[in-house]
């Protein structure tokens, strides 16, 4: 299976000793859910008595590693020639990190993902942003940093689905990818880490899985059912001509 070859585009990130226990709990609840002995939605809930920032930190590392492995497995098929622009269907993504690249630049998918994984790794290695010890001092903009990471990780998932899903199916890895993505979605929904407008490229799959209904409960713009646009009548055209 492709996810067992451990191929990544960046080294996997390890947890600090204090966070390892919490990470093991996160992986255990996720594993039980994926095996059908629990629910994916419950697997992402903040454990009783744990600090929210620590929980976000541990899961940020785990999701970074997961996407790192997933993309690494199809990296050879995602090239400058096959994916000249980082996109998901008609949605294009430009890269900027605010330091090395201040103004957003359009680039090919492999370059974008390379920039992203390097940037995330730098954030995770910065102990002023992600303390190694449980209960450490997190910066005031910590939640914004986490949201930015998850927003961009979502884009990698969206690109894989729209541009490389046939290859995933040919590898027999569709179920694994779907399980990983569902886990990711439930987590970002639970902690409101990705805005609705960012999720639009994957709207059909959210609808198919009926995960969008959880957004509806929080008054999201993403709905499970969509109303088709009304056909414009000749009378409408005449009214528009009068307004010109």
């Amino acid at each position: 299976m492709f996810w067992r070859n451990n191929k990544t585009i960046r080294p996997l990130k390890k947890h600090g000793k204090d966070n390892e226990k919490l990470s093991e709990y996160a992986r255990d609840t996720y594993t039980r859910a994926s095996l059908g002995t629990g629910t994916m939605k419950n697997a992402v809930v903040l454990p009783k008595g744990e600090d929210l920032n620590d929980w976000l930190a541990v899961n940020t590392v785990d999701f970074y590693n997961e996407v790192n492995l997933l993309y690494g497995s199809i990296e050879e098929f995602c090239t400058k020639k096959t994916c000249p622009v980082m996109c998901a269907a008609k949605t294009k993504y430009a890269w900027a990190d605010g330091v090395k690249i201040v103004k957003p630049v359009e680039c090919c998918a492999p370059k974008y993902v390379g920039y992203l994984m390097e940037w995330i790794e730098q954030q995770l290695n910065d102990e002023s942003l992600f303390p190694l010890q449980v209960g450490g001092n997190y910066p005031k903009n910590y939640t914004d940093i986490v949201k930015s990471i998850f927003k961009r990780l979502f884009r990698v998932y969206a690109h894989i689905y729209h541009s490389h899903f046939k290859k995933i199916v040919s590898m027999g890895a569709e179920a694994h990818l779907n399980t990983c993505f569902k886990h990711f979605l439930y987590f970002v929904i639970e902690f409101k880490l990705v805005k609705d407008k960012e999720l639009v490229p994957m709207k059909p799959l959210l609808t198919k899985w009926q995960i969008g209904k959880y957004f509806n409960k929080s008054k999201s713009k993403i709905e499970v059912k969509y109303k088709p646009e009304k056909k414009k009548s000749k009378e409408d055209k005449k009214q528009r001509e009068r307004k010109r």
Side-chain angles (χ1 to χ4, degrees):
M1 296 298 180
F2 84 98
W3 61 89
R4 291 177 183 169
N5 62 18
N6 294 324
K7 183 179 179 182
T8 65
I9 61 174
R10 302 290 300 182
L12 294 179
K13 175 67 177 174
K14 295 182 179 180
H15 292 282
K17 290 183 179 180
D18 288 349
N19 285 337
E20 189 56 41
K21 187 176 181 180
L22 192 57
S23 176
E24 287 178 3
Y25 173 84
R27 288 195 298 270
D28 180 59
T29 53
Y30 162 64
T31 299
R32 284 190 283 106
S34 63
L35 292 175
T37 56
T39 64
M40 197 69 74
K41 190 171 185 292
N42 291 336
V44 302
V45 174
L46 177 68
K48 187 176 181 180
E50 296 294 345
D51 180 75
L52 174 60
N53 288 336
D54 289 336
W55 185 240
L56 290 176
V58 163
N59 280 278
T60 299
V61 172
D62 287 343
F63 280 115
Y64 161 76
N65 286 337
E66 192 166 72
V67 174
N68 198 355
L69 281 165
L70 285 169
Y71 183 79
S73 64
I74 55 94
E75 182 184 11
E76 63 183 295
F77 310 108
C78 184
T79 66
K80 184 177 181 181
K81 184 177 180 179
T82 61
C83 306
V85 177
M86 177 60 178
C87 63
K90 295 181 180 180
T91 303
K92 296 181 179 180
Y93 302 115
W95 175 259
D97 57 18
V99 181
K100 293 181 180 179
I101 302 177
V102 179
K103 186 178 180 180
V105 294
E106 197 172 273
C107 56
C108 63
K111 198 167 187 177
Y112 182 100
V113 178
Y115 281 144
L116 171 60
M117 292 305 181
E118 180 181 7
W119 175 77
I120 294 177
E121 185 179 40
Q122 290 172 349
Q123 308 308 302
L124 297 178
N125 288 339
D126 187 341
E127 291 186 39
S128 68
L129 302 179
F130 288 86
L132 291 177
Q133 72 278 9
V134 170
N137 295 319
Y138 291 88
K140 291 182 179 180
N141 64 335
Y142 174 70
T143 302
D144 292 332
I145 294 170
V146 172
K147 286 182 178 180
S148 184
I149 290 174
F150 275 88
K151 176 182 71 176
R152 291 169 168 180
L153 286 177
F154 168 82
R155 294 174 178 179
V156 180
Y157 268 117
H159 177 73
I160 291 175
Y161 271 101
H162 281 282
S163 300
H164 304 289
F165 191 66
K166 287 184 179 179
K167 178 57 64 175
I168 292 290
V169 173
S170 71
M171 292 176 172
E174 178 184 358
H176 178 72
L177 175 64
N178 286 342
T179 299
C180 292
F181 188 45
K182 284 180 180 178
H183 182 210
F184 179 89
L185 287 173
Y186 279 116
F187 190 81
V188 300
I189 290 169
E190 178 70 18
F191 299 103
K192 299 179 177 61
L193 299 176
V194 180
K195 293 182 179 179
D196 294 351
K197 65 180 182 180
E198 284 285 339
L199 299 169
V200 170
M202 295 304 296
K203 184 168 63 176
L205 195 55
L206 287 171
T207 303
K208 180 180 178 180
W209 288 344
Q210 295 189 341
I211 290 181
K213 65 183 180 180
Y214 295 110
F215 287 91
N216 293 340
K217 288 180 180 179
S218 59
K219 299 181 180 180
S220 167
K221 294 179 182 178
I222 294 181
E223 303 290 340
V224 174
K225 295 182 180 180
Y226 305 96
K227 293 182 180 180
E229 292 185 4
K230 293 182 180 179
K231 292 184 178 180
K232 295 173 182 177
S233 64
K234 291 183 180 180
E235 185 61 32
D236 291 332
K237 291 181 179 179
K238 289 181 181 180
Q239 289 180 1
R240 287 199 303 274
E241 289 175 356
R242 294 194 195 103
K243 292 180 180 179
R244 291 178 181 174

